[in-house]
Amino acid sequence: MTANYTPAEMMTVTAARALSNNMTCFVGIGLPSEAANVARMTHAPDITLIYESGTIQTKPEILPLSIGDGELCESALTTVSVPEMFRYWLQGGHIDVGFLGTAQIDKYANLNTTVIAANDGASTKQGKTSYANPKVRLPGGGGAPEISTNAKEVFITVKHSTRTFVEQVDFVTTVGFGRDGKVRDQHPQIGRGPTVVITDLCILKPDPDTKELVVVSLHPGVTEEQVIGATGWPIKFSRELTTTPSPNEQELDVLRKLKDKTARAHSAQGEV
């Protein structure tokens, strides 16, 4: 029997399935954290989840609000210093997958979490966003730039809209394949980069030659026209386009219980 689910649930479960058991995963807060913990609670119980604050093999019962959330440290096997986390674990080549979210992504999988340009052009000079005068100032890169260049590969999960999927990001916070898609060809030591992008509409992967993101799978009920309308560049589709498998009852049950427990815990903390 087909389960009833929302596009957001479809995205999270699909992203969770991209992770496998025995991986070491550097997890970003938000959608990546949600997906990584669903994976841990379903098909990948032995996955090692690492957060930027230094928590290793953490097993939170509720989703963290930030990398400094006490739940991460309390449920971790151990906690190391941030310098050790980056110098030994990340730069030492011990991270299989960096799992990231973003505010903007372009066709070469570059990520922007720094600034959004003003529409009137006042903050733009020679095609580049003025860092001093943006329309919106975002939280910044955190550890994402280092994760992208040191993890063996990168998974990205983000909601699909023209506001997020732009032809060229206003600011390259975290490099995917560069403005021309060729950056990693010139620097092979920085890892494979983004290998999959999972949204609430589809799955995208970089073309092996051009590195431009291509739709390889549509989620059930989603049309090519919907994806085209939600993307800020002329998106391409694989000749072998498939349909993403729907979430099963177990995956949905784990996800919903996790989100409900998280909401109740954070609500209770706010009442204290």
Side-chain angles (χ1 to χ4, degrees):
M1 185 172 65
T2 302
N4 293 319
Y5 53 86
T6 67
E9 289 173 333
M10 179 76 207
M11 173 174 57
T12 298
V13 169
T14 302
R17 288 173 175 172
L19 296 169
S20 60
N21 209 23
N22 297 315
M23 272 184 170
T24 299
C25 180
F26 206 126
V27 190
I29 294 297
L31 293 174
S33 180
E34 185 175 298
N37 281 287
V38 169
R40 177 179 62 81
M41 294 176 173
T42 52
H43 66 278
D46 296 321
I47 192 170
T48 297
L49 301 186
I50 293 178
Y51 286 77
E52 188 179 337
S53 52
T55 55
I56 298 174
Q57 201 170 320
T58 186
K59 299 179 179 181
E61 292 300 316
I62 60 173
L63 296 173
L65 291 173
S66 72
I67 59 168
D69 197 310
E71 176 72 14
L72 293 176
C73 189
E74 291 171 5
S75 61
L77 176 66
T78 188
T79 301
V80 300
S81 69
V82 172
E84 179 179 337
M85 173 59 64
F86 279 87
R87 290 176 184 173
Y88 175 76
W89 286 90
L90 187 56
Q91 295 174 0
H94 299 287
I95 304 300
D96 296 314
V97 175
F99 210 153
L100 303 174
T102 188
Q104 276 188 337
I105 182 171
D106 65 22
K107 63 181 180 180
Y108 292 123
N110 300 300
L111 309 183
N112 173 25
T113 53
T114 301
V115 290
I116 303 296
N119 295 329
D120 60 6
S123 67
T124 304
K125 182 179 181 182
Q126 297 179 344
K128 296 182 180 179
T129 303
S130 168
Y131 185 85
N133 187 32
K135 178 183 178 182
V136 178
R137 188 172 298 282
L138 300 168
E146 288 78 14
I147 293 169
S148 177
T149 53
N150 287 281
K152 294 175 184 176
E153 62 180 318
V154 176
F155 296 170
I156 300 163
T157 186
V158 62
K159 292 183 179 180
H160 211 132
S161 72
T162 52
R163 184 175 68 174
T164 301
F165 279 73
V166 297
E167 186 162 11
Q168 188 175 82
V169 291
D170 293 332
F171 187 99
V172 179
T173 308
T174 304
V175 68
F177 297 100
R179 294 290 193 185
D180 59 0
K182 299 178 181 179
V183 164
R184 290 180 188 269
D185 294 338
Q186 303 162 17
H187 302 281
Q189 76 278 7
I190 65 173
R192 295 172 61 194
T195 55
V196 64
V197 178
I198 298 164
T199 81
D200 49 346
L201 299 180
C202 62
I203 301 173
L204 307 95
K205 293 185 177 182
D207 179 271
D209 298 319
T210 67
K211 305 305 180 184
E212 182 175 337
L213 291 175
V214 175
V215 179
V216 298
S217 181
L218 293 174
H219 298 338
V222 175
T223 65
E224 290 187 22
E225 288 71 25
Q226 282 178 276
V227 176
I228 292 169
T231 307
W233 71 86
I235 190 72
K236 297 176 182 178
F237 295 82
S238 171
R239 292 182 181 179
E240 301 176 351
L241 190 65
T242 62
T243 300
T244 314
S246 300
N248 61 42
E249 293 287 355
Q250 182 206 10
E251 292 166 327
L252 290 173
D253 183 59
V254 168
L255 172 58
R256 289 168 181 172
K257 286 181 178 178
L258 175 61
K259 295 193 73 172
D260 181 63
K261 189 173 183 179
T262 299
R264 286 188 281 107
H266 291 159
S267 176
Q269 290 170 8
E271 294 172 359
V272 176

